[in-house]
Amino acid sequence: MKNIVLFGPPGAGKGTQAEFLKEKYQLVHISTGDVFRYNIKNNTDLGALAKSYMDKGHLVPDEVTINMLNAEVEKNPKANGFIFDGFPRTEAQAIALATLMETKNSQINAMVALEVDDEVLVGRLLERGKVSGRADDANEAVIRERIAEYYRKTDVLKEFYQKQDKYYGVDGVGSIEEITERLSNVIDKL
Ligand code: ADP
């Protein structure tokens, strides 16, 4: 089983790359942002709760997010491995993920991080906002708050995985194909 955390700030390209990597390596792709948006669209209680945080650019509370992620993993008992996109985003989530993988007699093999400068991120997200219909991409103040939230709570995870020798940084600027190749070079060696 290969389990990969695809990491990086908002707008780094995680979702785009996960689409290619899941096919290439036959992994189940779990995007916490996508699951939250699905719940918002279907007017569930989870969706209403998540929306109240997402609209402000804040993270959804750990307990809610961890329970949801556990449920998504349990839905795929036959998975060959997972690509986690948008999870973990806090140290508590990373610890919960390690515990969950242990119950499967497995582990996270690598955190592969897409590295992109902040101003490039803001530009990409504003562009995406013109077509994505995502409320959190439509407003520059919310975009900047998401990036600030990333530095407050999420960036520390680099160190968390570095300490376990599982952190791999990849340049996230270039064509989609170039970046897929850079990521594949890391994953092939795992
Ligand atoms: P992006 O990477 O572009 O910010 P996502 O689709 O991954 O977009 O996430 C959108 C929003 O969903 C986040 O800003 C946050 O509010 C919420 N969210 C997603 N994943 C998590 C998580 N692991 N923990 C808490 N909140 C999350």
Side-chain angles (χ1 to χ4, degrees), residues 10 14 32-33 37 54 58 60 86 89 93 128 134 146:
K14 300 182 292 287
T32 43
R37 281 185 288 277
M54 289 166 77
H58 294 157
V60 178
R89 266 178 150 109
Q93 293 180 15
R128 186 169 80 184
R134 275 180 57 167
R146 281 154 64 202

Side-chain angles (χ1 to χ4, degrees), residues 72-86:
E72 290 298 316
V73 168
E74 296 302 343
K75 281 183 198 166
N76 293 281
K78 299 213 176 84
N80 197 17
F82 293 90
I83 300 184
F84 297 103
D85 156 10

Side-chain angles (χ1 to χ4, degrees), residues 149-165:
E149 189 83 330
Y150 172 85
Y151 285 109
R152 279 194 292 264
K153 296 179 180 167
T154 308
D155 193 55
V156 293
L157 292 181
K158 276 184 197 166
E159 217 181 298
F160 182 93
Y161 287 96
Q162 260 162 358
K163 280 190 195 141
Q164 304 175 39
D165 278 332

Side-chain angles (χ1 to χ4, degrees), residues 110-176:
M111 164 183 268
V112 193
L114 291 168
E115 297 169 341
V116 181
D117 283 346
D118 292 353
E119 288 313 308
V120 177
L121 297 172
V122 175
R124 284 186 188 178
L125 291 167
L126 283 170
E127 274 307 305
R128 186 169 80 184
K130 292 180 190 163
V131 291
S132 69
R134 275 180 57 167
D136 61 346
D137 286 344
N139 177 320
E140 184 166 341
V142 175
I143 289 174
R144 292 202 180 270
E145 186 57 23
R146 281 154 64 202
I147 295 173
E149 189 83 330
Y150 172 85
Y151 285 109
R152 279 194 292 264
K153 296 179 180 167
T154 308
D155 193 55
V156 293
L157 292 181
K158 276 184 197 166
E159 217 181 298
F160 182 93
Y161 287 96
Q162 260 162 358
K163 280 190 195 141
Q164 304 175 39
D165 278 332
K166 289 180 179 173
Y167 178 86
Y168 300 86
V170 164
D171 180 3
V173 180
S175 71
I176 292 176

Side-chain angles (χ1 to χ4, degrees), residues 10-142:
K14 300 182 292 287
T16 305
Q17 292 299 329
E19 289 301 319
F20 291 102
L21 297 175
K22 74 171 184 188
E23 294 299 332
K24 185 160 182 193
Y25 296 98
Q26 293 296 301
L27 301 171
V28 173
H29 171 211
I30 299 180
S31 157
T32 43
D34 285 351
V35 181
F36 286 137
R37 281 185 288 277
Y38 177 86
N39 277 276
I40 292 171
K41 208 169 125 204
N42 289 288
N43 293 311
T44 67
D45 290 345
L46 173 63
L49 180 93
K51 188 175 185 323
S52 66
Y53 292 91
M54 289 166 77
D55 283 353
K56 295 194 195 102
H58 294 157
L59 293 185
V60 178
D62 279 336
E63 199 193 334
V64 177
T65 308
I66 289 168
N67 286 338
M68 181 196 87
L69 190 277
N70 283 357
E72 290 298 316
V73 168
E74 296 302 343
K75 281 183 198 166
N76 293 281
K78 299 213 176 84
N80 197 17
F82 293 90
I83 300 184
F84 297 103
D85 156 10
F87 189 94
R89 266 178 150 109
T90 64
E91 193 153 348
Q93 293 180 15
I95 292 166
L97 183 59
T99 306
L100 177 66
M101 289 293 116
E102 267 173 40
T103 69
K104 314 267 163 230
N105 292 319
S106 192
Q107 59 164 337
I108 294 298
N109 301 94
M111 164 183 268
V112 193
L114 291 168
E115 297 169 341
V116 181
D117 283 346
D118 292 353
E119 288 313 308
V120 177
L121 297 172
V122 175
R124 284 186 188 178
L125 291 167
L126 283 170
E127 274 307 305
R128 186 169 80 184
K130 292 180 190 163
V131 291
S132 69
R134 275 180 57 167
D136 61 346
D137 286 344
N139 177 320
E140 184 166 341
V142 175

